Amino acid sequence: MREDVVDPSLVSTLAVSTVTPPRLLSMSLSFQRCSLAAWMKENIKKKECHFYVESERKGMCKCGHPEIKHTEEAMKPKDFVGESWDKHRHVREVPTDAFGDINFGGLGQKTGKYVRVSTDTTTELLYELMTERWRLPPPNLLISVTGGAKNFYLKAHLKGMFHRGLIKVAQTTGAWIITGGTHAGVMKHVGKAVRDYALSSSSLGKPVVALGIATWGILHNQQALVHPEGRFPAHYSLDVEGQGRLSCLDNNHTHFLLVDDGTHGQYGAEIELRSRLEKLISQRPLGNRESGVKIPVVCVVLDGGPGTLNTIFNAMLNGTPCVILEGSGRLADVIAQVAGLPVGQVTLALIHQLMKKFFASEYEAFSELKIIEWTKKIQDIIRIPNLLTVFRIREEKHGDVDVAILKALLKASQGSECVGRGSWEQQLELAVAWNRVDIAESEIFTEESQWKSCDLHQAMLSALVGHRPRFVRLLLENGVCLRQFFKDEGTLLELYSQLPNCLFFHKLVKRFQSDLDRKSRGSDSQGQPGRKISLTHVSREVQRLLGSFTRPMYPPPPDKYGIDMPVEGSLLTLPDNERDLQVTRGYGDDGAFRDPGRDIFLWAILQNSRELAEIAWEQCRDSMAAALAASKILKRLSRDGEKGSDEVEEMRELASHYEKHAMGVFSECHRCDEQRAQRLLVRVSPSWGQTTCLRLALEADDKSFVAQSGVQALLTQIWCGELAVENDVWRVLCCMLFFPLIYTGFLAFRRDGVIQRDEERNKEINIIETFTQSSAETLRWKSHVPDLPSSKPLKALNCWSRLASLYGCPQVKFYWNIVSYFAFLFLFAIVLVVDFQVMPSWLELLLYIWLLSLVCEEVRQLFHDPDGFGFRKKAKMYINDLWNILDVLSIVLFLIGLGFRLSTELFYPGKVILCIDFVVFCLRLMAIFTISRTLGPKIIIVRRMMMDMFFFMFLLSIWVVAYGVAKQGILIHNEQRLDWILRGAVYEPYLIIFGNVPTNIDNAQFDINACSVNGTDTLKPKCPVLNDDQRPAFPEWLTIIMLCVYLLFANILLLNLLIAIFNYTFQEVQDNTDAIWKFQRYELIKEYHSRPTAPPPFILLSHLYLFVRCMVLRRPPYQYKQFKDELPEVQEEELLSWEAFMKDKYLVSARKEHNKSMEQRIQDTSEKVDTMSELLGQEDETDSAAMVKRLTRLEEQVFQSAKALQWIMDTLKAQGHTSKADPPLLVSSGTLCEIDGREKMGQRTEEVECHVEARQRRYPDSPVTRFPVPEEKVPWEVWLDLTSLDKYRNPGGRTGLRGRGALKHLGPNLIVDPVVTCWRDSEHSALEFLAVWDETKGLWALPGGVVKSNELLPDKLERLVGKQLYDQIKAKANSGTKVYEGYVDDCRNTDNAWVETSVLNIHLCRGSLQMADINRKANSSLGSAEMVQCKEVSKRTMVCSYQRYALQKVAELYSRTF
């Protein structure tokens, strides 16, 4: 695809849109209304009469509107003089004047949207109005509710089930509910269901869309809705009592389309537009992606009359499934009673009986012709069982109404043109779109169904993109292989292209925009840069979130792959169809997808999807690293997000959740095998950036994870090096001073213990093997003893190794450095106190050398980067450490003091600076206590209290300065000396806090000799303002009160506040100090693990060696496996398999704990109580219905028993063994009429199958309609009051239409259907036939037709395949086999003209020239109106009924299974 030039302004728009809040980009409400009004006037029309013709009612036009509603032009028309009024000619379209928001008032202030539209409005425009102007999300299902338009009674239980089921299916699937919109009948029931949902607590979810399509002309209180500029809102009152023969809108619907045909008071104007709108929506693709599945439509029927029957009949002819609610009354109950019966048993007598029963008084108004028409339509309805579903309360298989609706749709898809596996995949797509796992489990993933992973990939992608976590789990359980799912890298790119508007998506767009800008600046002369987001952008952003120490998740791809990223405008505010990113492949097959579980887990974590991430984490192989990486990513994203937002809080909760997961898995591993668990901590994870679990936990600041005993055991083991952990400190110190003790066993080494344990284990295994005759490998497996394939027997340490292990131990290094540091401080103190000369002494020179070694060590720590952080990250980490700050400060002060000390003029200031520096060095001594379990946590508390002290001092300084300045201004007049001003305003008030009460505020203690009157004596303070008696003139009472108030607040309030703060900090930190200390302990251990062995100042030799090795010899730095161990592939696989097993154990135990929790028990109990209550209600209803049925049957039996007794009596009275009447049949009264009908027909309904296509209501390509001929009246032998031509009678029976219709002549019209067959391959795997596509019927057909008198094959075949090929096939026709000859059930048949066919099979060889020509013709006909293909002779091939029968005969001819 061509890449367009990137406009820099568009890129800027993209960048701005990613950081600007949506509320700043949204239009004002008034502007939106003006825009909507302009669009309505331009596109939406209404209808009005413009030719006034007075009707029988005076002052009323034939359109139904009064005279005053007509314009002057309509009153005096010039164009229609002398014409009679015609709705189609005398009604015109004008811009609509009724639209906006409608408010019904009352409880809840129900508000919806409405518009008045013309009957001729295009459905595409209406769909645009609803989805773009009203901003309704496209539906995943369309529920058309129809039935009784008048109020009818529903049983309480059925009404509750209907309300609950309708709302549940609408809410869970995202469906639109379409009704008539008025406040009556079935529409009122739908409105009440929507109201109940809105008032329930569950309405916090997405709202239910209830669309009412009503006729404008029958609305009561129309004027409240009319305004040329729209009403926002229109206040509509529900006046049922005063509506008369009109109707009010239902106040519980959410949207209204008010259809206007220009008339008033005439119902039914909306029917045609509603049908067209439903058809348009049903042709729209389901979801945002082209999966081939269209939006399904279902019709739900309650009650109903003649109009409802037509609606059901037309809906089923269009392929729309219908759900009938038994027990809702009238038509619904009639259909429910006959559904499931054979068509032959649905007789006129039965329909008479059922209509009399359910329609009651209305039955008398039905004519005999009307009942015949109803019988015919009902027969046609039940002839399509895959589109008819009857919801019966007494049948438990249906469950609730929502289940019945969804099952009806799935049943309809099974009978559609998608057959076989395609039908199941379509059903699965529907279930995913509806998010109904229960339907998928019960109807799709059955025991009989066998699914391949590739068959479920499309559904898996839909479930992931649509955020369907329960479906993702279900698909994984039923065969989806993630490795196959991600085999095509474009799948992962598709997932990232469908990311929602989350924080990571914003960052991804910013990174793309920055890369685009950089490429634009560097490609001025090299063409325009690409506009693709690839996995490289994702990888870089993830690497930034994880840390620079990690490697990219996905390798850099070639430039040919990526996601085409539209930059025209905002990605965050565009509609979904414009916002989707076009996906292309990301990179080649280079092994990047070694763990597909990692890819889907990372994708879920980045969008903060908890449910999907939980499922994906269970699929990860490296589960502990995945959980820790998720914690790190989420915490980093939460820091980058807006503080206080819900998304940030959710991220933090999810990060804590996965930290707990990591802790749980590690604890399970550590309990099973400590060595393997510790190896999991330090092994390099290829799936997560070549880093380790321990490093990820530290970077994520997961203190709880690091504080676990298993992690601390590993750190302690690293701290002790090769020395055993059990060694006492005094033993280590003794060996440090006198190393020969290590050869006497005084100090234990870890390897010695391992060797001893291995020997004991091998002895035990050998003993057990001797007695049980089991192999050593089996015993090791059963005892869970780690025995890695590449492990070798350990050798004992020699003398040199023991000595090196002793002094290379981090613990020993630490002790030597403590001794060295104390020696350094002692030397520093000696120099400062005793030996600080003008010319430096040898002690002072030694101090300088010692300091140089400390400086070199700090430089080494700064540049030492074994984890690959990079200098910038390493420098940041170095500065963030408080002890490093003290190190740098102490070194800088020492260098400054040294510079001053070497100068004669600044010799003494230099000594002062060095003295201050000594204090800093002493403070640095506290760092050595961090390793102590007792003092380490206390240092953490001290650091927190110092922060509290800083904020307290800020608060205290306000009181100190306030009191000090006020006191200084009252006592002293115009003090000019700055030092004495600070002393009086700050220093003295500060000392007052500690009990140094001033004497100058009290006249009794005033001494004029202790002060200077004019402030000329620099050693004395200035005297206060004096009076003539040389006594202080300030108000003594005021200064004393000020002092008391100051002491009250400063000494009592603030100091006690400080104590309270310290106490709170201590209590808060004390609970976490242990975890914090364990977390910070790692850095100290790692520092001394990599630190050279010799302490300062001897460490200079080690620094010199490192400098030569790295800078001169250019050798790589040492790699320490204690913190980062890259395992061989075999050991890696073995360790990950064991970790996966431990993860499963942890998940099982976690679920058990969750099920035992009190909250879960309460929830389970509540669900059980609700289920029991519902079952009891259903049982009561079922028992009641069963009791009525039993009583009815009992009455029938009593009635027939009486008849039987009467017959016996008559027989006994008569002479002989005969009776005056036949004995009664002991059957139910409900079937008596059916038996009588069958007896009259001579059981013909069971012997002969009547034609169906020939009795279709509408004759093809004609406005003519047939007379509805019921099934029992089709045979000519059965009397029916219809005249017919005697000369020509259709052998199939009556069709409801006389004459020849569209056929050429009366009587039989002969055609020939050639079946040109061949084998698919040499193995005869399938038999194929030549078929042509019939566009009008949507079916494949045989290339048959009328033949000339002297021809064997029809002209149609010649037109399709050409003259030459036609002649070749005709040459083989004489040797063909006639497989069928006789009547054809054709839709063109009439009572007096019909089609008869002769099906001729012509078989061709697979490799013949004729087949080669046919294949070329098939390829050239692709996409044409008459497409020719070779299709399999199978029931899966969609053909008409008689041709299916002919193909079945052909299959029998070749002994093939049809």
Side-chain angles (χ1 to χ4, degrees):
M1 186 177 68
R2 180 179 66 86
E3 294 181 358
D4 300 331
V5 176
V6 179
D7 188 354
S9 63
L10 297 178
V11 175
S12 301
T13 304
L14 174 65
V16 170
S17 66
T18 59
V19 297
T20 306
R23 58 185 177 84
L24 298 180
L25 294 177
S26 62
M27 297 180 295
S28 65
L29 185 60
S30 60
F31 182 78
Q32 291 182 24
R33 291 175 176 175
C34 293
S35 175
L36 178 63
W39 187 88
M40 289 285 188
K41 292 179 180 179
E42 181 180 356
N43 296 280
I44 304 299
K45 309 295 181 182
K46 69 172 184 176
K47 282 192 174 183
E48 66 178 20
C49 174
H50 61 116
F51 179 38
Y52 177 79
V53 177
E54 190 166 291
S55 64
E56 295 78 6
R57 298 172 59 191
K58 186 177 180 180
M60 298 294 293
C61 177
K62 288 191 175 182
C63 68
H65 289 285
E67 181 179 351
I68 58 175
K69 292 289 185 180
H70 291 71
T71 62
E72 184 178 352
E73 181 184 356
M75 298 299 297
K76 299 178 180 180
K78 299 179 180 179
D79 300 331
F80 311 125
V81 176
E83 297 184 8
S84 59
W85 194 86
D86 182 11
K87 180 174 65 173
H88 301 287
R89 175 169 171 76
H90 301 135
V91 173
R92 65 181 178 182
E93 287 188 340
V94 294
T96 186
D97 59 354
F99 60 89
D101 299 337
I102 182 170
N103 189 299
F104 293 95
L107 181 64
Q109 293 291 320
K110 309 175 189 67
T111 302
K113 296 189 179 294
Y114 75 98
V115 63
R116 175 185 181 183
V117 300
S118 166
T119 53
D120 298 331
T121 306
T122 62
T123 52
E124 291 81 2
L125 200 61
L126 294 179
Y127 189 77
E128 178 187 352
L129 166 67
M130 291 184 290
T131 56
E132 297 185 12
R133 300 294 169 176
W134 287 350
R135 298 183 180 180
L136 291 177
N140 294 323
L141 171 63
L142 192 65
I143 305 174
S144 179
V145 184
T146 187
K150 298 180 180 179
N151 292 327
F152 58 91
Y153 173 74
L154 271 183
K155 294 180 181 180
H157 186 58
L158 179 60
K159 180 169 66 173
M161 295 186 71
F162 171 70
H163 288 189
R164 183 171 59 252
L166 181 67
I167 294 303
K168 185 177 180 181
V169 72
Q171 183 188 19
T172 57
T173 65
W176 288 3
I177 304 174
I178 295 184
T179 72
T182 57
H183 190 67
V186 68
M187 296 85 73
K188 185 176 180 180
H189 283 286
V190 173
K192 288 181 178 179
V194 176
R195 180 200 60 189
D196 294 342
Y197 169 74
L199 296 177
S200 66
S201 58
S202 62
S203 63
L204 298 176
K206 53 186 178 182
V208 171
V209 177
L211 176 62
I213 304 179
T215 301
W216 169 263
I218 55 91
L219 291 185
H220 178 60
N221 194 17
Q222 291 178 343
Q223 292 304 316
L225 307 176
V226 177
H227 192 280
E229 300 298 326
R231 289 195 180 274
F232 302 94
H235 297 281
Y236 187 86
S237 59
L238 196 64
D239 184 15
V240 178
E241 295 180 356
Q243 67 183 10
R245 63 186 186 89
L246 300 179
S247 299
C248 292
L249 291 176
D250 183 70
N251 59 342
N252 294 306
H253 282 61
T254 60
H255 299 79
F256 295 93
L257 294 179
L258 308 177
V259 184
D260 185 12
D261 64 347
T263 65
H264 181 74
Q266 299 181 15
Y267 285 82
E270 83 285 356
I271 295 176
E272 193 266 340
L273 181 64
R274 174 176 173 178
S275 176
R276 287 191 290 117
L277 180 62
E278 291 176 358
K279 184 176 181 180
L280 171 78
I281 295 177
S282 67
Q283 295 172 350
R284 294 278 175 170
L286 181 65
N288 295 327
R289 297 176 295 104
E290 291 291 343
S291 60
V293 181
K294 306 300 182 181
I295 297 175
V297 181
V298 64
C299 180
V300 180
V301 181
L302 287 81
D303 191 72
T308 304
L309 180 62
N310 294 331
T311 302
I312 299 172
F313 181 71
N314 294 327
M316 296 184 70
L317 289 182
N318 293 328
T320 301
C322 294
V323 179
I324 311 295
L325 265 69
E326 184 187 38
S328 58
R330 298 199 303 169
L331 177 66
D333 285 346
V334 171
I335 298 178
Q337 291 295 318
V338 300
L341 293 177
V343 178
Q345 295 184 18
V346 183
T347 62
L348 283 168
L350 180 60
I351 298 299
H352 267 287
Q353 179 185 359
L354 293 176
M355 291 183 65
K356 185 176 182 180
K357 176 181 179 181
F358 294 112
F359 279 81
S361 60
E362 296 180 48
Y363 169 72
E364 302 299 334
F366 285 93
S367 64
E368 183 69 21
L369 183 62
K370 195 69 174 177
I371 294 180
I372 291 176
E373 181 183 352
W374 273 50
T375 304
K376 173 62 171 62
K377 287 185 178 180
I378 292 174
Q379 289 175 350
D380 291 340
I381 286 172
I382 65 174
R383 191 176 278 115
I384 319 175
N386 63 302
L387 296 180
L388 181 64
T389 300
V390 178
F391 176 77
R392 309 180 193 272
I393 299 179
R394 61 179 179 269
E395 294 183 5
E396 297 180 357
K397 64 179 182 180
H398 283 299
D400 220 335
V401 176
D402 62 309
V403 179
I405 292 174
L406 299 180
K407 284 185 177 181
L409 287 163
L410 296 183
K411 184 171 69 173
S413 66
Q414 292 177 2
S416 66
E417 59 191 32
C418 297
V419 294
R421 181 62 61 186
S423 174
W424 288 108
E425 291 177 1
Q426 179 179 348
Q427 293 182 37
L428 186 57
E429 280 288 330
L430 291 175
V432 172
W434 301 334
N435 196 22
R436 292 300 297 263
V437 179
D438 54 337
I439 299 296
E441 289 177 338
S442 61
E443 300 297 320
I444 300 176
F445 292 109
T446 58
E447 295 180 358
E448 296 80 11
S449 60
Q450 298 294 329
W451 293 88
K452 296 180 181 178
S453 178
C454 58
D455 298 332
L456 303 175
H457 287 177
Q458 185 64 35
M460 184 69 171
L461 185 61
S462 301
L464 289 171
V465 172
H467 192 77
R468 307 281 193 262
R470 296 177 61 196
F471 253 108
V472 172
R473 186 181 295 278
L474 179 66
L475 292 170
L476 288 172
E477 293 173 352
N478 284 275
V480 170
C481 175
L482 289 180
R483 188 169 298 277
Q484 294 182 21
F485 179 66
F486 284 115
K487 186 176 182 180
D488 182 9
E489 295 87 347
T491 303
L492 186 59
L493 285 167
E494 174 73 11
L495 289 178
Y496 278 105
S497 72
Q498 299 289 340
L499 277 177
N501 289 335
C502 57
L503 185 59
F504 177 78
F505 183 75
H506 298 183
K507 293 184 175 297
L508 190 61
V509 172
K510 288 181 182 179
R511 178 172 292 276
F512 165 73
Q513 191 267 340
S514 61
D515 289 351
L516 196 64
D517 290 343
R518 185 169 58 254
K519 290 181 180 180
S520 299
R521 291 191 296 268
S523 59
D524 294 338
S525 60
Q526 301 176 1
Q528 294 297 330
R531 298 189 306 157
K532 296 179 180 179
I533 280 188
S534 68
L535 287 181
T536 304
H537 296 92
V538 178
S539 180
R540 290 174 183 171
E541 190 60 32
V542 172
Q543 186 180 15
R544 186 189 69 83
L545 296 174
L546 275 178
S548 58
F549 62 93
T550 59
R551 294 184 183 178
M553 291 287 187
Y554 307 105
D559 293 337
K560 60 182 178 180
Y561 302 137
I563 305 172
D564 288 346
M565 193 72 165
V567 296
E568 290 83 355
S570 169
L571 284 175
L572 306 181
T573 56
L574 285 178
D576 292 341
N577 56 349
E578 298 180 13
R579 182 182 174 278
D580 292 345
L581 311 178
Q582 182 177 347
V583 178
T584 55
R585 292 174 60 85
Y587 46 85
D589 296 332
D590 48 11
F593 289 93
R594 59 175 300 173
D595 185 7
R598 184 277 312 264
D599 296 321
I600 191 173
F601 176 67
L602 180 62
W603 173 80
I605 282 295
L606 292 174
Q607 59 177 310
N608 196 26
S609 176
R610 188 186 187 107
E611 295 85 359
L612 286 177
E614 189 71 17
I615 297 171
W617 181 75
E618 296 177 7
Q619 306 299 319
C620 288
R621 296 179 68 244
D622 197 354
S623 56
M624 189 164 66
L628 293 170
S631 177
K632 174 68 173 70
I633 291 172
L634 291 168
K635 287 183 178 179
R636 179 59 188 271
L637 282 173
S638 64
R639 290 199 299 269
D640 297 342
E642 183 179 354
K643 293 183 178 179
S645 64
D646 294 337
E647 185 180 8
V648 169
E649 294 300 324
E650 291 174 359
M651 286 181 180
R652 289 174 180 168
E653 292 178 3
L654 193 56
S656 175
H657 174 73
Y658 279 102
E659 182 183 359
K660 293 178 181 177
H661 269 341
M663 292 170 59
V665 173
F666 180 76
S667 299
E668 198 71 37
C669 294
H670 190 259
R671 278 195 295 268
C672 181
D673 192 326
E674 295 183 6
Q675 294 184 13
R676 284 184 175 181
Q678 292 177 359
R679 180 164 288 192
L680 278 174
L681 290 174
V682 297
R683 58 166 278 276
V684 173
S685 175
S687 299
W688 295 98
Q690 297 292 324
T691 187
T692 64
C693 292
L694 187 58
R695 185 74 257 173
L696 285 172
L698 292 163
E699 290 298 314
D701 197 27
D702 292 337
K703 295 182 177 64
S704 299
F705 179 85
V706 179
Q708 292 181 105
S709 58
V711 181
Q712 292 301 308
L714 173 65
L715 295 180
T716 303
Q717 183 176 307
I718 297 174
W719 174 250
C720 295
E722 288 294 333
L723 301 182
V725 178
E726 296 81 9
N727 289 318
D728 296 327
V729 175
W730 65 271
R731 289 178 180 270
V732 176
L733 294 176
C734 291
C735 292
M736 287 171 54
L737 300 176
F738 190 67
F739 68 87
L741 291 175
I742 62 177
Y743 304 117
T744 63
F746 182 75
L747 198 65
F749 285 83
R750 183 156 48 92
R751 184 175 297 186
D752 296 339
V754 173
I755 293 174
Q756 183 179 357
R757 286 194 298 270
D758 289 344
E759 291 177 353
E760 294 176 355
R761 183 191 64 185
N762 291 331
K763 287 180 181 179
E764 292 177 0
I765 291 175
N766 292 333
I767 293 172
I768 297 174
E769 184 179 5
T770 302
F771 285 98
T772 62
Q773 300 299 323
S774 300
S775 62
E777 289 77 8
T778 304
L779 292 171
R780 288 192 182 95
W781 174 255
K782 291 183 178 179
S783 58
H784 300 285
V785 177
D787 189 14
L788 298 177
S790 59
S791 60
K792 299 179 181 179
L794 296 176
K795 296 181 180 180
L797 295 172
N798 55 31
C799 297
W800 173 252
S801 298
R802 290 178 181 272
L803 184 62
S805 299
L806 173 65
Y807 288 104
C809 172
Q811 183 182 13
V812 175
K813 294 179 187 178
F814 177 73
Y815 292 152
W816 279 121
N817 276 273
I818 290 177
V819 174
S820 172
Y821 200 79
F822 273 108
F824 169 74
L825 292 179
F826 180 75
L827 178 61
F828 200 174
I830 291 296
V831 170
L832 289 176
V833 176
V834 178
D835 194 17
F836 197 80
Q837 307 295 333
V838 178
M839 290 298 295
S841 62
W842 67 272
L843 290 176
E844 192 172 352
L845 294 176
L846 178 60
L847 178 65
Y848 297 158
I849 296 173
W850 209 311
L851 182 69
L852 177 62
S853 67
L854 296 178
V855 173
C856 292
E857 176 57 22
E858 293 300 323
V859 173
R860 186 200 65 81
Q861 292 181 19
L862 179 62
F863 286 93
H864 181 63
D865 188 15
D867 295 317
F869 288 109
F871 179 75
R872 180 180 298 179
K873 173 70 174 178
K874 185 68 178 178
K876 185 177 180 180
M877 293 172 61
Y878 181 86
I879 295 300
N880 288 336
D881 192 348
L882 176 63
W883 307 120
N884 289 332
I885 295 176
L886 289 178
D887 287 336
V888 173
L889 178 61
S890 60
I891 292 172
V892 170
L893 287 177
F894 192 93
L895 294 177
I896 294 174
L898 177 62
F900 283 14
R901 179 249 181 282
L902 296 177
S903 173
T904 306
E905 294 80 4
L906 301 175
F907 176 79
Y908 185 73
K911 182 178 181 180
V912 173
I913 293 175
L914 290 176
C915 292
I916 297 173
D917 190 32
F918 180 79
V919 176
V920 179
F921 272 111
C922 290
L923 292 176
R924 180 63 176 82
L925 189 63
M926 288 192 299
I928 66 174
F929 299 117
T930 56
I931 198 63
S932 172
R933 191 179 189 89
T934 304
L935 296 178
K938 301 304 183 287
I939 294 176
I940 296 172
I941 294 176
V942 170
R943 290 177 60 180
R944 287 288 304 272
M945 288 183 173
M946 289 177 62
M947 296 178 62
D948 294 336
M949 177 73 78
F950 173 78
F951 293 106
F952 172 78
M953 291 303 298
F954 175 77
L955 183 62
L956 180 63
S957 63
I958 297 175
W959 286 93
V960 170
V961 173
Y963 172 74
V965 172
K967 178 187 73 71
Q968 184 73 8
I970 293 174
L971 297 181
I972 310 299
H973 181 66
N974 294 335
E975 174 65 77
Q976 301 296 326
R977 295 171 298 178
L978 180 61
D979 55 339
W980 283 101
I981 293 176
L982 294 177
R983 183 189 292 266
V986 179
Y987 179 61
E988 289 182 359
Y990 181 72
L991 292 179
I992 291 174
I993 298 176
F994 301 98
N996 188 10
V997 180
T999 59
N1000 55 354
I1001 65 171
D1002 188 357
N1003 293 340
Q1005 298 181 4
F1006 175 72
D1007 184 5
I1008 196 171
N1009 296 322
C1011 60
S1012 173
V1013 177
N1014 297 322
T1016 55
D1017 190 349
T1018 58
L1019 300 178
K1020 292 182 180 181
K1022 187 176 182 180
C1023 291
V1025 179
L1026 302 177
N1027 53 21
D1028 297 339
D1029 299 334
Q1030 297 299 310
R1031 299 293 296 176
F1034 61 84
E1036 181 180 1
W1037 61 271
L1038 179 61
T1039 56
I1040 293 176
I1041 292 176
M1042 288 178 58
L1043 177 62
C1044 293
V1045 173
Y1046 173 67
L1047 290 175
L1048 179 66
F1049 280 91
N1051 281 36
I1052 298 178
L1053 179 62
L1054 293 183
L1055 288 182
N1056 281 279
L1057 175 63
L1058 179 62
I1059 295 172
I1061 292 174
F1062 283 170
N1063 184 60
Y1064 174 78
T1065 301
F1066 182 84
Q1067 294 294 335
E1068 181 186 22
V1069 178
Q1070 180 66 26
D1071 299 335
N1072 301 319
T1073 48
D1074 187 64
I1076 298 173
W1077 168 75
K1078 290 177 179 178
F1079 183 81
Q1080 295 180 351
R1081 178 172 172 246
Y1082 168 84
E1083 293 298 335
L1084 183 67
I1085 294 175
K1086 187 174 182 181
E1087 175 186 348
Y1088 280 94
H1089 183 272
S1090 61
R1091 197 182 185 106
T1093 304
F1098 307 106
I1099 198 173
L1100 285 172
L1101 299 176
S1102 300
H1103 293 157
L1104 180 62
Y1105 168 74
L1106 292 175
F1107 179 80
V1108 172
R1109 187 178 187 277
C1110 297
M1111 304 302 295
V1112 179
L1113 301 179
R1114 298 291 182 179
R1115 293 182 180 178
Y1118 292 110
Q1119 297 293 332
Y1120 300 103
K1121 292 187 176 182
Q1122 288 82 353
F1123 291 100
K1124 195 172 185 180
D1125 188 11
E1126 191 165 356
L1127 300 178
E1129 185 176 355
V1130 177
Q1131 295 187 23
E1132 176 85 6
E1133 292 296 327
E1134 187 273 341
L1135 195 61
L1136 289 179
S1137 299
W1138 177 74
E1139 182 193 13
F1141 178 69
M1142 292 296 106
K1143 176 190 69 176
D1144 294 339
K1145 288 183 62 178
Y1146 159 70
L1147 290 175
V1148 171
S1149 61
R1151 292 190 184 103
K1152 289 182 179 179
E1153 291 295 327
H1154 176 70
N1155 293 333
K1156 292 179 181 179
S1157 63
M1158 184 61 66
E1159 294 81 2
Q1160 187 64 29
R1161 289 183 177 181
I1162 294 174
Q1163 182 179 355
D1164 293 342
T1165 305
S1166 176
E1167 292 177 355
K1168 291 177 181 178
V1169 170
D1170 293 341
T1171 304
M1172 291 176 61
S1173 175
E1174 183 176 351
L1175 290 176
L1176 288 174
Q1178 293 180 0
E1179 185 177 356
D1180 292 341
E1181 187 74 21
T1182 304
D1183 291 344
S1184 177
M1187 182 63 67
V1188 173
K1189 187 174 182 180
R1190 290 175 63 186
L1191 290 174
T1192 304
R1193 292 180 61 184
L1194 183 60
E1195 290 176 358
E1196 294 175 355
Q1197 293 296 330
V1198 170
F1199 173 73
Q1200 296 192 27
S1201 298
K1203 289 179 64 177
L1205 290 173
Q1206 184 65 40
W1207 173 79
I1208 294 173
M1209 292 174 62
D1210 293 341
T1211 304
L1212 292 174
K1213 290 179 180 180
Q1215 296 179 358
H1217 301 283
T1218 59
S1219 175
K1220 295 180 180 180
D1222 294 333
L1225 297 176
L1226 298 179
V1227 295
S1228 62
S1229 61
T1231 57
L1232 285 174
C1233 59
E1234 301 169 22
I1235 294 176
D1236 293 339
R1238 286 199 297 268
E1239 289 177 350
K1240 292 177 181 179
M1241 294 174 61
Q1243 301 294 334
R1244 186 178 183 88
T1245 56
E1246 297 180 1
E1247 299 173 0
V1248 181
E1249 183 178 353
C1250 302
H1251 50 199
V1252 177
E1253 297 293 331
R1255 292 186 293 132
Q1256 288 184 1
R1257 180 66 171 163
R1258 289 187 177 276
Y1259 194 81
D1261 301 326
S1262 171
V1264 177
T1265 58
R1266 301 178 189 266
F1267 181 83
V1269 180
E1271 198 83 5
E1272 60 187 299
K1273 300 297 184 180
V1274 171
W1276 293 106
E1277 293 83 359
V1278 179
W1279 180 86
L1280 185 63
D1281 190 13
L1282 293 173
T1283 59
S1284 178
L1285 299 177
D1286 295 332
K1287 186 176 181 180
Y1288 299 102
R1289 282 194 172 186
N1290 191 320
R1294 294 185 178 91
T1295 64
L1297 184 67
R1298 298 192 299 267
R1300 64 179 179 86
L1303 298 177
K1304 290 187 176 181
H1305 49 265
L1306 298 174
N1309 292 258
L1310 302 179
I1311 63 172
V1312 174
D1313 286 310
V1315 184
V1316 182
T1317 58
C1318 70
W1319 295 109
R1320 177 177 293 175
D1321 47 39
S1322 58
E1323 287 80 12
H1324 294 187
S1325 62
L1327 183 66
E1328 296 182 335
F1329 72 100
L1330 184 65
V1332 61
W1333 178 250
D1334 189 345
E1335 186 69 29
T1336 58
K1337 296 181 180 179
L1339 299 172
W1340 292 99
L1342 297 174
V1346 181
V1347 297
K1348 297 178 181 178
S1349 58
N1350 58 344
E1351 297 289 345
L1352 293 176
L1353 298 178
D1355 296 338
K1356 182 177 181 180
L1357 181 63
E1358 181 180 357
R1359 187 179 74 252
L1360 291 173
V1361 300
K1363 176 65 175 176
Q1364 182 179 359
L1365 184 56
Y1366 173 79
D1367 293 338
Q1368 295 175 2
I1369 296 176
K1370 185 171 68 172
K1372 291 181 173 290
N1374 292 325
S1375 60
T1377 304
K1378 187 176 292 186
V1379 296
Y1380 174 76
E1381 186 174 19
Y1383 177 76
V1384 174
D1385 184 13
D1386 193 276
C1387 59
R1388 298 170 296 172
N1389 292 353
T1390 66
D1391 288 352
N1392 315 112
W1394 61 93
V1395 177
E1396 292 186 1
T1397 184
S1398 177
V1399 181
L1400 182 65
N1401 173 234
I1402 304 171
H1403 190 76
L1404 302 178
C1405 296
R1406 186 180 62 86
S1408 63
L1409 295 177
Q1410 294 89 346
M1411 284 307 305
D1413 293 339
I1414 289 176
N1415 290 332
R1416 283 193 294 270
K1417 180 63 179 177
N1419 293 330
S1420 62
S1421 68
L1422 291 175
S1424 63
E1426 291 184 326
M1427 183 171 53
V1428 178
Q1429 293 290 318
C1430 287
K1431 305 299 292 184
E1432 183 181 358
V1433 179
S1434 169
K1435 65 179 181 181
R1436 293 189 297 272
T1437 303
M1438 304 299 293
V1439 294
C1440 63
S1441 57
Y1442 90 91
Q1443 293 185 1
R1444 181 184 298 275
Y1445 176 75
L1447 291 178
Q1448 184 177 0
K1449 292 296 184 181
V1450 172
E1452 294 175 358
L1453 183 64
Y1454 292 92
S1455 301
R1456 305 293 298 183
T1457 302
F1458 185 68

